[in-house]
Amino acid sequence: MGSDGKPKAFHQTPAIVGLTGGIGSGKSTVVRMFGELGVHWVDADDVAREVVEPGTPGLAQIAEHFGQDILTDEGTLDRAQLRQIVFANPDERTWLEGLLHPMIRDELIRQLKPEGYALPYVLLVSPLLLETDQHNLVSRVVVVDVPVETQIERTMARDTNERDQVERIIAAQMPREKRLERADAIIDNDRSLDDVERQVRELHGKFLVDFGY
Ligand code: ADP
């Protein structure tokens, strides 16, 4: 509280806490719980889509580089085709990443500074937080953790994917142990949602203290 009895407005730029985890670990579930406590969050996957929406400089440059055939009839990015091209051609992948990564980074930084925000930290949710330079943006890393078997079962149930498809995605991601080594805090999501909510409230309280609320 300020001396006038109103909640203290936070004039400093809020700290950025990164939240990551493998596919189906529960990132979206956990970040929604932080959101209910008033924490502002930005999803890096959403931003990665936003920078190539129709009308963006990102999409215009991709169409200029790869030709108009990279667009669907509706004028959106043909992601499946783009994936095939960069999968087969590392130089094109490098070109694409050189274009998109700085754009994504700039847009993340912009969205992570909400107007009139009263809490001392915000969350950056990203499956690739530790694999990309996004980790340089954050002052803490929170890992949402479940055993691989839980990860597989929950992803299969959510996306109606085959087991081997999910296993392939997991194999391409950072291994669980390595991710945990990089964690400043861990949310154990192999629990009931009530228990996870308790962990979220506890961590929120700790961040309010750590970041000087
Ligand atoms: P991510 O965003 O990391 O891919 P989600 O938050 O979408 O993961 O969680 C994967 C699936 O598991 C979703 O269908 C979600 O509802 C479910 N889920 C997440 N946490 C729990 C939990 N503690 N108990 C039961 N189901 C859960």
Side-chain angles (χ1 to χ4, degrees):
M1 291 285 165
S3 54
D4 56 1
K6 289 185 188 148
K8 203 166 49 169
F10 223 78
H11 296 299
Q12 278 159 272
T13 308
I16 304 172
V17 172
L19 190 131
T20 192
I23 183 173
S25 58
K27 294 178 294 298
S28 315
T29 306
V30 167
V31 88
R32 275 198 297 271
M33 293 177 182
F34 277 100
E36 277 161 24
L37 298 173
V39 180
H40 175 73
W41 54 272
V42 177
D43 186 323
D45 274 354
D46 292 344
V47 170
R49 271 189 293 272
E50 286 167 22
V51 298
V52 292
E53 271 171 8
T56 56
L59 189 57
Q61 288 184 58
I62 289 173
E64 195 181 316
H65 182 84
F66 292 104
Q68 296 294 317
D69 285 353
I70 202 71
L71 303 179
T72 64
D73 292 345
E74 289 76 42
T76 61
L77 181 61
D78 185 344
R79 286 167 188 288
Q81 200 197 143
L82 186 62
R83 256 198 308 274
Q84 272 181 1
I85 294 173
V86 300
F87 185 73
N89 189 333
D91 287 346
E92 297 293 19
R93 170 182 290 269
T94 305
W95 180 87
L96 187 67
E97 288 179 350
L99 173 76
L100 293 181
H101 285 184
M103 282 184 175
I104 294 170
R105 190 187 151 87
D106 289 352
E107 183 58 17
L108 284 175
I109 291 170
R110 198 184 67 74
Q111 293 193 17
L112 286 163
K113 288 179 189 158
E115 290 275 313
Y117 185 63
L119 294 181
Y121 79 100
V122 293
L123 284 172
L124 167 58
V125 191
S126 175
L128 295 176
L129 183 76
L130 302 173
E131 290 91 334
T132 62
D133 63 359
Q134 285 169 14
H135 64 90
N136 295 325
L137 295 173
V138 307
S139 31
R140 295 278 198 292
V141 172
V142 178
V143 170
V144 182
D145 181 58
V146 291
V148 173
E149 189 50 38
T150 307
Q151 210 184 339
I152 294 171
E153 279 164 16
R154 287 186 184 162
T155 306
M156 283 170 65
R158 184 192 60 189
D159 302 341
T160 55
N161 275 342
E162 297 299 327
R163 169 173 284 267
D164 62 340
Q165 201 177 345
V166 179
E167 282 176 345
R168 266 201 304 278
I169 296 170
I170 292 174
Q173 295 184 333
M174 184 179 278
R176 182 183 182 199
E177 292 313 315
K178 217 169 147 202
R179 193 184 288 116
L180 286 173
E181 277 172 20
R182 305 274 298 272
D184 297 300
I186 296 166
I187 300 218
D188 176 3
N189 192 24
D190 199 24
R191 306 279 186 102
S192 71
L193 292 171
D194 278 352
D195 187 277
V196 176
E197 227 173 296
R198 183 194 55 74
Q199 295 178 60
V200 166
R201 276 197 303 273
E202 199 176 301
L203 200 53
H204 176 62
K206 181 175 156 20
F207 287 148
L208 292 183
V209 172
D210 283 2
F211 299 118
Y213 191 63

